[in-house]
Amino acid sequence: MNKQAKESTLRFYKECLLRVLVHIQQHLDEPSSLQELARLACLSPHHFHHVFTGMLHESLGNHLRRLRLERAASRLKLTQMPVVEIAFEAGYETHEAFSRVFRKSFGLSPVGFRRRDGLKMQIQAPSGVHYHGRKRLATFRAVQIGARTMDVKIRQLKPMRVAFMRHIGPYNEVGQTWDKLMMQLGKEGLVGAGTQFIGICHDDPAVTSSDKIRYDACITVDGVFRASGEIGLQIVPGGDYAVLTHFGPYEQSTKAMRNCLAGGCPAADEDCA
């Protein structure tokens, strides 16, 4: 996969997540289900969860709790709202529970935080996405953080039997194929905690025109599964694979890392970011 395709893939994911992050900022007091936000991102729930966690380096639940705590810190500093009212707004049923979590996050009790000057109202987050008082978010800068040394490991993987659905077209449009595959296999109860999700890129966009690019969205299945209709069956070869977790700017990542993010490397999902 060339640089242009990699940048296109990242841009696609960033645009998906930006819609979600803006929605969260604007509806912070409303329950935000994984399914609802995945629909907004035009991704399947599992794919959305993987992309969200990989790019923001925190789960959706932790992201929501952190933003509400940052808003609480802002309320303490900029308003005269009673602490108990701020606690309820942040989603805590008791003042004690709120104070315990707030102290763990900011190092002070809510009352102590309100009284001291010069304190930051944000909790450290790798993504750089924080509570915005005007309920808007202009950019998503999750990958624009300082690069870290990457620890590349060689993992020997066994051959994997996978159900797959082929996508023909630009790599940044593979989300629709994933959604369709997930919906069909999910209804059959074939998606579980041990399921692995693999993307196989067959063509180089620098050589193949975008409307002819082939991509296989794959989900591991047991020996009982049989191909049917649009869903085929193939074996992903076993062997030695480079596995890494990427932190830092997208443009500084290696080809292997970006293939993992785009789904081009048959490595376990938890090792790709």
Side-chain angles (χ1 to χ4, degrees):
M1 186 180 296
N2 66 9
K3 182 178 179 181
Q4 182 179 1
K6 295 174 186 177
E7 291 176 347
S8 178
T9 299
L10 177 67
R11 185 166 57 251
F12 169 72
Y13 284 136
K14 287 180 69 175
E15 288 172 355
C16 290
L17 288 185
L18 182 57
R19 289 197 300 271
V20 170
L21 295 173
V22 169
H23 177 84
I24 289 174
Q25 293 274 350
Q26 293 175 342
H27 303 85
L28 198 54
D29 290 317
E30 301 174 14
S32 297
S33 70
L34 177 65
Q35 290 73 18
E36 175 191 0
L37 296 179
R39 283 195 298 271
L40 185 62
C42 299
L43 298 171
S44 69
H46 185 95
H47 196 189
F48 169 72
H49 169 75
H50 175 62
V51 172
F52 187 98
T53 304
M55 294 187 73
L56 272 79
H57 303 292
E58 63 181 343
S59 68
L60 174 61
N62 286 341
H63 181 75
L64 290 168
R65 283 189 290 272
R66 179 174 60 78
L67 291 189
R68 288 166 182 159
L69 280 173
E70 290 183 355
R71 182 179 62 181
S74 177
R75 295 279 196 264
L76 288 167
K77 284 295 185 183
L78 305 178
T79 76
Q80 297 299 317
M81 287 176 61
V83 174
V84 66
E85 194 173 317
I86 294 174
F88 291 154
E89 183 189 50
Y92 295 88
E93 296 182 356
T94 66
H95 177 281
E96 291 75 15
F98 170 68
S99 296
R100 183 168 56 251
V101 175
F102 191 91
R103 181 186 291 275
K104 185 176 180 180
S105 300
F106 290 93
L108 289 170
S109 69
V111 173
F113 186 87
R114 169 169 272 174
R115 290 173 177 171
R116 287 187 57 178
D117 296 326
L119 297 177
K120 291 185 177 180
M121 293 184 285
Q122 296 178 342
I123 301 170
Q124 185 175 1
S127 66
V129 178
H130 295 283
Y131 167 71
H132 197 296
R134 287 176 287 179
K135 299 185 179 182
R136 62 182 177 85
L137 190 66
T139 58
F140 170 50
R141 301 178 292 114
V143 294
Q144 298 174 9
I145 57 178
R148 307 177 191 176
T149 301
M150 292 183 289
D151 182 19
V152 180
K153 299 178 181 179
I154 301 300
R155 175 181 294 182
Q156 188 174 58
L157 300 178
K158 296 180 180 180
M160 289 177 280
R161 195 168 188 266
V162 299
F164 77 98
M165 186 173 289
R166 176 154 293 183
H167 167 81
I168 305 293
Y171 284 127
N172 63 358
E173 296 177 0
V174 302
Q176 298 175 5
T177 302
W178 274 109
D179 289 345
K180 193 172 182 180
L181 179 66
M182 286 288 296
M183 183 176 298
Q184 292 192 34
L185 295 187
K187 288 180 180 178
E188 298 176 25
L190 297 176
V191 180
T195 303
Q196 294 189 55
F197 299 80
I198 302 161
I200 301 176
C201 303
H202 292 281
D203 301 298
D204 184 347
V207 177
T208 306
S209 60
S210 62
D211 62 329
K212 293 182 174 62
I213 288 175
R214 298 164 299 160
Y215 173 97
D216 290 343
C218 310
I219 295 178
T220 53
V221 292
D222 58 25
V224 178
F225 178 84
R226 294 292 180 268
S228 176
E230 293 182 85
I231 300 179
L233 181 67
Q234 64 175 299
I235 303 296
V236 176
D240 293 336
Y241 290 84
V243 179
L244 57 89
T245 300
H246 172 72
F247 300 92
Y250 179 85
E251 62 272 12
Q252 293 182 10
S253 61
T254 65
K255 290 183 178 180
M257 179 268 158
R258 288 317 314 156
N259 282 339
C260 284
L261 175 61
C265 167
D269 274 356
E270 61 267 25
D271 293 306
C272 301

